Amino acid sequence: MYVKKFEELSKDDIGIAGGKGANLGELTQAGIPVPPGFVVTAQAYEYFMDEAGINDKVMSILEETDINDTKALQAAAEEIKKIIVESPIPDDLVMYIREYYNELCQRVGEEDTDVAIRSSATAEDLPEASFAGQQDTFLHVSGDEEVIEFIRKCWASLFEARAIFYREENNFEHSKVYIAVVVQKMAFADKAGVMFTVNPSTGEEIALIEGSWGLGEAVVSGDVTPDNYQVDKRNNEIVNVTISDKKVMYTNDEDGTSVKIEVPEDKRKERVLSDDELIQLTEMGKTVQAHYGEPMDTEWAFEKDMLFLLQARPITTLGGAEEAADDASSDLGDVLVRGLGASPGMAAGTVKIVLDIDELDKIKDGDIMVTTMTTPDMVPAMRRASGIVTDEGGVTCHASIISRELGIPCVVGTGDATTTLVENSGVTLDGKKGLVFEGISQTKEEAPVAAGSVEAAPIITVTEVKANVSMPEAAEKAAATGADGVGLLRTEHLMLTSGIHPGKFIADGNEDELIDTIADNVQIVADAFYPRPVWYRTLDAPTDEFITLEGGENEPREHNPMLGWRGIRRELDQPEILKCEFKAIKKLHEKGYTNIGIMIPLSQSPEELKQAKALCSEVGFEPHKDVEFGMMVEIPAAAIMIDEYIKVGIDFVSLGTNDLTQYTLAVDRNNEFVAKHYSEEHPAVMKLIERTIRKCAEAGVKCSICGQAGSVPHIVEKLVEFGITSVSSNTDAIADVRKTVARAEQKIILDAARKRLE
Ligand code: PEP
Ligand code: MG
């Protein structure tokens, strides 16, 4: 139970062995050659903590620590790590570890064999949870004393400041997160690299292999331009071999640590992999893909003539990536990291990795900010960055929305940018294709976003093309595109930028201040667009995003905030906040900004609409009479029951396809692991969209879209055919969307004319 060999583990053992340990077990059991090893399980860690009697002490330190006070957090982390490192390990556990290590040494025929020791966190209730960026690795550990010492260090790493902060931020209970430790024979690679088991661009059954001399670090870190091979998996035919000039390699020095050295002159341009080795690798790729049932991204190594697999994970970016890598390869460096293109444009700069909020100061003007996921308190630093890269998230996450509005190129959901990209190295990122390249490219740098000037959009369309706005400072730029109004003003970001939780204003008796904060910010947007309409969306406050605000500490810790206390359901539970919002819009109407309408988010029943309208009337602001009142359709229930809502009375509807897609398909929009399953064009989502548009058209209710799908021209084309009355896009997409709308409208007219002639 406390120590398990890889052979005894499978992919279902994440709760015991962590993700990495379970994966190595699975590969071993499938007969795929991985360097042998064992896992000191999460239960061993639990046993150690219990026997040492330090749980209560650790938890009480954590309870007393304000994680937003960086110094206090650091001090708490140091204190806890010291306690762990100094506490005795139960004798039987020490005995097991020694036994398994000695057995490993015997198996590989080496005394005190070198092992790599890696930590792998796992949560009790959520074994699949991601603890990105928190995996410590210690290489070249040898001898049982050192092995035990480093296992203890891995345990202590569970309480690194950033790990504590991450758990608090993501509502993981500290006492329910455990750590498993992987102990694995080091592979002393003569040659190593990566292999995609299919062409990631086309999905074609071609293995794409990159290889270079020495340890795999050179290829994975992008320090070298590796040889490139392609093998057709259907017949093992080698279809392409590109040999490059491999200047550096990593190797082990005398004491076993890896060092970067120059490749001897005669080997620099020598081909790394023979035909036989390529076929061996391809065959292994087939086995791995067949075993997992999906295309895989792998790391491999040859030690003498022994092939090992070091890492295997599903390819997350099928489609587009390779094509981009190809066209980039002429004037850009190697692709270091792939993710989702979240905000278009090219940016080049120096990598600054931000894992703690107290590291924000290191972002200087023009740097590339690399982080797990952005939070509201990072916005000032985001403004200084020329580009943003995140490990987590989808194209509608915080980082995506804010960087689009700031006009900063952004790549999200890379999975591993914070561990793969190297601090202070130069990179170039392509925010459209979702790629980060090695080196600073001057040639491809272009002004980010700022698409669509007034001159660029002289096209007149009947279907209105509006803009989405979240931050007041982005309103001028959005208005300058010639957009026909604001189809979505996201209030959350106004509140997040203010830094204070709306509930705190109310609790402190400062309602007027809350009203003014909202009114002042909305006025900036209403001014920029006046007299064009601006649809103010009432607060859709997910608990996990509002927790960091001053006064946000009472936010409930929800397992799944996306399905939790947010949108109108939350507002009806907290009517004081909603009433302040209505009062703020009323105040602006009284000042002459009658161009502002109100819409409610995330409604699941017409009753909610009724109640929201009643509260609006209560503040002396009559829906439909004094102010246009509408709703978002973001839940399948609302799309299905749209007739009932129309009966209650609405002036307009806006399709929130970001949420509608996630709720229809059961795919978390912010989870990069399932991003490939997220598609607004899924027939079920499109059916709900079409139904909503047609029902609204029949009833004479205006229908718009403000989800990300409204920024995708080929989807917009369909929406125009369905009869949508307006489309609200991101600023960067407005010019393209307007052209698409114009073309779609012309096509409808032309088709009708042709029909008449038939
Ligand atoms: C949506 O869900 O499509 C939407 C526009 O709202 P948000 O992205 O703010 O959830
Ligand atoms: Mg939404």
Side-chain angles (χ1 to χ4, degrees):
M1 188 61 186
Y2 297 141
V3 189
K4 295 252 183 212
K5 279 196 250 176
F6 291 167
E7 286 81 351
E8 299 170 291
L9 294 164
S10 74
K11 66 175 183 331
D12 301 325
D13 290 321
I14 296 177
I16 298 171
K20 189 156 199 99
N23 196 22
L24 286 165
E26 182 72 17
L27 291 166
T28 307
Q29 285 213 21
I32 294 154
V34 297
F38 57 89
V39 176
V40 179
T41 64
Q43 289 65 36
Y45 162 78
E46 195 182 358
Y47 175 49
F48 156 72
M49 293 292 280
D50 285 346
E51 288 294 302
I54 52 180
N55 270 318
D56 290 349
K57 177 107 188 73
V58 169
M59 292 311 143
S60 78
I61 296 172
L62 289 173
E63 260 159 41
E64 284 159 16
T65 307
D66 171 5
I67 58 147
N68 293 312
D69 176 342
T70 315
K71 289 216 167 60
L73 178 61
Q74 284 290 359
E78 290 311 315
E79 191 182 349
I80 296 172
K81 285 193 290 177
K82 191 159 180 281
I83 294 173
I84 293 180
V85 171
E86 289 177 356
S87 295
I89 303 180
D91 289 345
D92 52 344
L93 188 50
V94 170
M95 197 187 71
Y96 283 129
I97 296 170
R98 286 213 172 104
E99 210 175 277
Y100 276 74
Y101 176 67
N102 289 332
E103 201 187 306
L104 178 66
C105 293
Q106 272 173 19
R107 185 165 159 192
V108 299
E110 278 175 10
E111 205 181 316
D112 290 346
T113 191
D114 268 21
V115 288
I117 296 198
R118 298 188 166 93
S119 60
S120 187
T122 174
E124 184 177 278
D125 304 330
L126 284 164
E128 308 269 349
S130 153
F131 295 92
Q134 295 169 39
Q135 320 286 332
D136 259 337
T137 296
F138 303 99
L139 300 177
H140 303 289
V141 178
S142 90
D144 49 12
E145 285 317 309
E146 231 181 82
V147 167
I148 289 166
E149 181 192 331
F150 282 97
I151 288 172
R152 210 199 273 269
K153 284 203 173 142
C154 280
W155 289 342
S157 73
L158 196 55
F159 295 95
E160 292 290 358
R162 70 183 143 97
I164 298 172
F165 187 81
Y166 178 89
R167 287 196 294 273
E168 294 260 346
E169 285 284 280
N170 292 282
N171 307 329
F172 288 112
E173 269 183 57
H174 295 294
S175 62
K176 293 197 171 159
V177 175
Y178 303 122
I179 193 155
V181 182
V182 174
V183 179
Q184 185 178 27
K185 161 96 176 73
M186 294 261 337
F188 291 95
D190 303 306
K191 41 180 103 168
V194 297
M195 167 171 62
F196 287 105
T197 65
V198 299
N199 180 330
S201 161
T202 59
E204 222 183 334
E205 290 294 329
I206 303 256
L208 293 187
I209 299 166
E210 287 184 343
S212 198
W213 301 116
L215 304 176
E217 249 166 299
V219 177
V220 176
S221 68
D223 275 351
V224 75
T225 307
D227 284 0
N228 203 295
Y229 310 89
Q230 297 187 6
V231 184
D232 189 330
K233 278 161 56 191
R234 290 157 288 207
N235 52 13
N236 281 359
E237 190 188 330
I238 296 163
V239 287
N240 181 48
V241 175
T242 309
I243 299 172
S244 59
D245 183 3
K246 301 162 285 289
K247 298 191 180 82
V248 292
M249 64 190 275
Y250 285 82
T251 182
N252 295 293
D253 70 4
E254 273 157 23
D255 68 359
T257 21
S258 69
V259 283
K260 184 157 128 183
I261 58 166
E262 282 187 12
V263 174
E265 194 60 38
D266 58 328
K267 291 194 92 173
R268 277 176 49 163
K269 293 186 182 159
E270 190 184 310
R271 177 172 160 176
V272 172
L273 290 167
S274 66
D275 284 3
D276 280 354
E277 287 168 333
L278 284 173
I279 308 269
Q280 217 181 317
L281 253 168
T282 306
E283 284 299 325
M284 184 176 75
K286 288 185 205 170
T287 314
V288 177
Q289 180 169 329
H291 184 74
Y292 282 90
E294 60 186 317
M296 302 292 281
D297 171 359
T298 66
E299 284 173 37
W300 55 266
F302 273 99
E303 185 177 345
K304 306 221 167 55
D305 50 6
M306 287 285 290
L307 171 62
F308 289 112
L309 192 70
L310 304 174
Q311 176 85 262
R313 55 178 194 172
I315 299 177
T316 48
T317 51
L318 268 180
E322 194 57 33
E323 165 210 337
D326 281 351
D327 70 38
S329 59
S330 51
D331 45 0
L332 288 167
D334 292 340
V335 176
L336 301 178
V337 160
R338 295 162 201 269
L340 303 168
S343 175
M346 302 292 288
T350 307
V351 167
K352 296 287 170 187
I353 299 171
V354 175
L355 296 171
D356 277 339
I357 40 163
D358 72 323
E359 292 177 312
L360 290 174
D361 283 352
K362 65 181 180 182
I363 309 282
K364 303 281 179 269
D365 285 347
D367 284 340
I368 303 287
M369 176 170 173
V370 180
T371 187
T372 315
M373 173 42 61
T374 60
T375 55
D377 26 10
M378 291 185 179
V379 174
M382 290 169 79
R383 285 197 182 97
R384 297 195 292 275
S386 67
I388 293 166
V389 184
T390 69
D391 287 342
E392 300 172 357
V395 292
T396 62
C397 70
H398 180 267
S400 305
I401 291 171
I402 298 298
S403 37
R404 278 197 292 268
E405 291 215 350
L406 294 174
I408 300 173
C410 174
V411 177
V412 299
T414 60
D416 58 1
T418 55
T419 45
T420 304
L421 298 180
V422 176
E423 181 85 350
N424 293 325
S425 61
V427 295
T428 301
L429 72 87
D430 181 335
K432 194 164 187 179
K433 295 180 181 126
L435 298 171
V436 181
F437 299 92
E438 182 183 19
I440 294 192
S441 157
Q442 304 301 340
T443 49
K444 281 247 172 170
E445 224 168 326
E446 56 183 53
V449 194
S453 64
V454 179
E455 297 77 36
I459 308 162
I460 308 293
T461 57
V462 177
T463 313
E464 289 170 319
V465 178
K466 299 183 180 179
N468 292 342
V469 175
S470 300
M471 291 189 299
E473 68 187 86
E476 281 292 341
K477 197 170 87 186
T481 62
D484 296 314
V486 174
L488 167 65
L489 172 56
R490 284 187 173 96
T491 320
E492 304 77 76
H493 296 273
L494 305 183
M495 291 317 307
L496 291 169
T497 317
S498 88
I500 301 172
H501 196 290
K504 182 167 163 56
F505 285 101
I506 307 279
D508 295 348
N510 292 335
E511 284 191 11
D512 287 346
E513 227 180 281
L514 176 58
I515 296 168
D516 287 345
T517 304
I518 299 170
D520 293 349
N521 280 295
V522 175
Q523 185 176 333
I524 297 170
V525 184
D527 245 339
F529 278 85
Y530 191 85
R532 293 170 273 174
V534 172
W535 289 347
Y536 169 92
R537 183 177 75 183
T538 63
L539 202 57
D540 176 2
T543 50
D544 58 334
E545 288 187 21
F546 275 59
I547 211 159
T548 55
L549 295 182
E550 193 183 327
E553 52 282 350
N554 296 330
E555 288 287 280
R557 280 18 178 202
E558 295 182 302
H559 270 302
N560 194 338
M562 276 296 181
L563 292 173
W565 204 39
R566 56 174 289 211
I568 194 66
R569 66 176 71 140
R570 174 174 185 164
E571 293 218 281
L572 292 173
D573 287 345
Q574 296 186 305
E576 294 316 316
I577 299 175
L578 184 56
K579 279 206 248 174
C580 284
E581 292 181 72
F582 291 146
K583 284 181 191 165
I585 305 304
K586 179 170 184 263
K587 188 172 164 185
L588 289 173
H589 267 242
E590 283 160 1
K591 279 171 100 176
Y593 294 104
T594 49
N595 55 329
I596 310 172
I598 292 174
M599 68 177 167
I600 59 166
L602 217 77
S603 175
Q604 55 150 273
S605 77
E607 187 54 33
E608 290 169 335
L609 174 65
K610 244 189 232 168
Q611 288 177 21
K613 290 208 295 185
L615 285 172
C616 195
S617 307
E618 235 178 75
V619 306
F621 201 33
E622 209 45 60
H624 315 304
K625 184 168 150 272
D626 299 332
V627 60
E628 281 210 308
F629 205 100
M631 63 178 281
M632 301 269 298
V633 165
E634 293 166 284
I635 300 181
I640 292 164
M641 296 179 71
I642 193 68
D643 304 278
E644 306 301 313
Y645 282 97
I646 291 171
K647 275 187 209 146
V648 173
I650 30 175
D651 293 313
F652 61 86
V653 159
S654 185
L655 286 154
T657 44
N658 304 339
D659 281 315
L660 188 62
T661 305
Q662 79 165 344
Y663 297 138
T664 307
L665 304 180
V667 176
D668 179 345
R669 61 192 257 193
N670 279 349
N671 181 344
E672 68 276 14
F673 297 110
V674 288
K676 67 178 177 198
H677 299 292
Y678 181 94
S679 166
E680 297 108 327
E681 291 174 85
H682 187 291
V685 182
M686 289 306 288
K687 268 193 188 140
L688 291 173
I689 293 174
E690 181 174 0
R691 178 175 204 281
T692 307
I693 296 173
R694 295 209 191 276
K695 290 281 179 189
C696 287
E698 273 166 38
V701 169
K702 286 181 274 192
C703 187
S704 187
I705 179 170
C706 58
Q708 186 61 19
S711 298
V712 181
H714 71 270
I715 302 184
V716 170
E717 198 178 324
K718 291 196 190 120
L719 306 184
V720 174
E721 282 165 21
F722 297 158
I724 203 153
T725 51
S726 67
V727 175
S728 192
S729 317
N730 305 324
T731 306
D732 59 87
I734 287 173
D736 276 352
V737 167
R738 194 183 280 285
K739 276 189 219 144
T740 305
V741 168
R743 199 174 306 122
E745 289 181 348
Q746 298 282 346
K747 185 170 173 293
I748 293 168
I749 297 168
L750 193 62
D751 285 350
R754 282 185 179 139
K755 256 216 177 96
R756 272 204 307 275
L757 290 174
E758 273 169 18

